[in-house]
Amino acid sequence: MRDTVLWRKESHIIMLLAEALHIDADRALNLFYGTETYRQLSDPKYGLHLMSDQYLVSNILSELQ
């Protein structure tokens, strides 16, 4: 169940990222998977799965700058 919830969270983050950057979902997906935020989100010890999607998108945008 945790994997399903995390998968939905990731997909929502990708869509928010695409919207924020005015790019298509495929490009946002590629950007997302290359970020430190994604690596930490995938590891429960960091607790990022508890953070809001918008907060995580903000982290990703900061990383990309």
Side-chain angles (χ1 to χ4, degrees), residues 4-54:
T4 302
V5 172
L6 187 57
W7 181 83
R8 287 183 183 186
K9 184 172 193 68
E10 289 173 355
S11 63
H12 189 238
I13 291 167
I14 291 163
M15 296 311 294
L16 290 172
L17 185 61
E19 186 178 308
L21 295 174
H22 307 289
I23 59 176
D24 63 38
D26 287 337
R27 184 146 184 246
L29 179 75
N30 289 330
L31 287 173
F32 174 70
Y33 284 131
T35 64
E36 185 64 26
T37 301
Y38 166 70
R39 283 186 278 289
Q40 291 178 357
L41 181 62
S42 301
D43 189 340
K45 77 177 179 183
Y46 291 101
L48 287 184
H49 60 286
L50 302 173
M51 306 309 272
S52 74
D53 297 348
Q54 192 59 49

